[in-house]
Amino acid sequence: MTSTSRLIQGNEAIALGAFYAGARFYAGYPITPSTEIAEICSRELPKLGGTFMQMEDELASMGAIIGASLTGVKSFTATSGPGFSLMQENLGMATMGEVPLVVIDIQRSGPSTGLATKPSQSDFMQLRWGRHGDQTVIAICPSSVRECFEMTVKAFNLSEQFRTPVIVAPDEIVGHMRENYAVPAPGELPVCDRIKPSGPADGYKPFNFEGDKVAPLASYGSEYIFHITSSMHGEDGFSNNDPQNAARRVAQLHKKIEEHRGDIVMTKSYDVEDCDILVVATGAVARTARAAAAEARKKGLKVGVLQLITIWPFPDVEIIKAVEGARKVVVAEMNYSGQLAGEVVKALGPQVNLKKVNSFNGQIITPADILKEFD
Amino acid sequence: MSGQEENKLNHKSEIIIAGSGGQGQIFAATVLADAAILEGKNVVQTQTYGIAQRGGFSSAEVIMDKDDILFHQVEKPDMIIVLNESAVGRYSNTVATVLYDNSLIKDGKGNNWHGLPFAKIAAEIGDGKVANLVAVGAMIYMSKVVSYDSIVSAIRRKFSAAVAEKNVAAINSGMKAAETLIKRTG
C-alpha cells in the first residue's frame, strides 16, 4: 500500500479508470446502483475538457456514445439491468458498426426492476445474448475496487484495439464497496488508442480489414468522410447484400475477438494446482469463494478457486486446465438458474461432478454457504 | 466491562453501524475506514439499504485488517452501533458489544448492550446531525479499533476547518460520555 492510498468506492474507481484510459464523453440516464458514476462524470468530465450529457433514456444514451465515439472521443455510459435491456438495440448497432465504446452494467436483483438496491449476478446471459443477430461481445466482471479501476482501463483498451463494445459488469456489492486503493500514476497502466487511417482521405474504407486486424477508424469531423450503418455493409460502409461479403463480415465480427482471446480472457487462480475441489466464481462471490477455500484448507481440504474476470468470451480453456485432478467443481453465483454453471457444464461435459451454490433473494453468498458443498 | 480493551491494531476488526436511512451510518463508516487507512490498515466498507432515500432499515459496515480482506461482509462484529429502534430487532441475539442510543431506544437487549444518548448529546452541542459521530467517539473510546488521533485526522481531511471542529466536538462528546458510563458501571 502506498502513502496515497485512500478510500475509494467501486463506482468511483470505474469513473476514475475511464478518465485514466482517456474517456472524455459520458452520456447516461442515472439508475441505482450505478448513479455515482454519472454523478462523478457530471462533476469531473468538464474539468478534463470532456462532456457529460444526461439523456432522456438509455436508448438515447447508447446513441449518444456511439456518435461521440465516432468523432474520435473515447465514450462510455453506465446503467443497471433494467437500463441495460433498453440499450441492447443500439449496442447491437455499435457491434455491427465496429464502434469502440464501454458500457458499465452494475448488476442488481431482477427480474425487471426487481430489488433496486440489492446485488445479483443475473445479467451474464443478457451481456452475451441481449442483442438479436449472431454477434459476440467482451464482458468483464471485477471483484474489488482495484479491479474496478484496472478493468475499466482494460475495457477501454480492448474496445479501441478491437473496435468493439466492451461491457464491465460488477455486481452491486462491488460497485458500492469502498476499499483503500492508490490510483496509479499516468503511465503505470498501458492505455491504447484506436488506429486511425494514415492514407489519403479519398477512397478511405472504414471496414477494409486485413487478416486478423481491424480496419483503421477515422473520426467524424476530420477530412475522412465515411458511412456507418447497422445494416450489412461492404468495406466502404455502404449497404452490400452480397452473400460472400455478408459471410466475411459476420465471421470477422466473431474472429477478431475469438482469435485474440489470449489478450482478452483474464482469470486468477488461487491454490488450484493440487486442488481436489475447484470453486469457480466471479465478482464479489469470488471473494466469498476465496474466504471459504481458506477456511477449508485449515481443515485439510484441498480447495482451489478460479476467479473469472472475463466472462465473455467464456474462459472455458482456463476452467478445463484448472479442474485437472479435481474430483468436484462448485460454481457459486448470485442467480437462480446457474448461468455460469451452465457454461461450466458446457466446457467440462455433462458427466462433471458439479454443485451449484446460488442466491437469488438480493442477499450475498456467504463462505458458510459454499463450505457446505465441500463435504 | 473493561473500558480499555486490548489494542486491536494488528487484528481484524469488524464494525456495524445500523439505524434508519438518513442517520449518517455510511458517513460514520467512511470516517472510521479513513482513520484505519491512516493507520496503514486495509479496509472494506459496505452498506445495505432499501429504495427510500430516508427512513427504513439501513446499515453500514467496516472491516479493518493488516492482512488482505477477502469476504467483504462482517461475520463476527466486534462492535455494533444501533442508532434507532428500527434496527434493534436485527441484533437482539448478538454477542457483540452494542452501543445504542438510549435517547431514542427504550431498552437494550442484554448485558452486552450499553445505552448512551447520542442524539441528545448531539442536540446539546448544537447539531442533531452529528449523533453518528458522537456514537463513533463512544465506540473508539471503548474498543480502540482506531486511535483518536486517526479519527480526528480523517475528519480534518474531509472538511473545512469550521465544519471539522464541529465534528471533532461530536467525537469528543462521545468519548466523554463513554468514559462516564464506564466509570459508573465499572
Side-chain angles (χ1 to χ4, degrees), chain A residues 21 31 64 91 127 133 156 167 193 218 252 260 262 274 334 350-351 355 365:
Chain A
I31 180 173
L91 190 54
L127 299 172
F156 275 97
I167 307 159
D193 297 321
Q252 194 253 352
H260 294 93
D274 68 337
M334 288 186 282
Q351 77 293 339
K355 293 280 179 210
I365 294 172

Side-chain angles (χ1 to χ4, degrees), chain A residues 75-149:
Chain A
S75 303
F76 74 124
T77 188
T79 187
S80 186
F84 189 53
S85 296
L86 297 173
M87 292 179 174
Q88 297 293 351
E89 185 183 18
N90 276 337
L91 190 54
M93 185 192 180
T95 300
M96 187 62 158
E98 300 190 60
V99 183
L101 51 83
V102 171
V103 177
I104 314 294
D105 170 24
I106 312 291
Q107 297 186 66
R108 73 186 213 187
S109 283
S112 193
T113 44
L115 293 163
T117 61
K118 303 297 178 193
S120 87
Q121 298 178 314
S122 49
D123 287 351
F124 295 135
M125 290 301 156
Q126 190 186 201
L127 299 172
R128 176 66 186 85
W129 299 109
R131 297 147 304 285
H132 57 271
D134 190 18
Q135 36 66 52
T136 191
V137 77
I138 299 172
I140 301 169
C141 295
S143 73
S144 64
V145 170
R146 169 183 294 279
E147 286 177 4
C148 281
F149 188 97

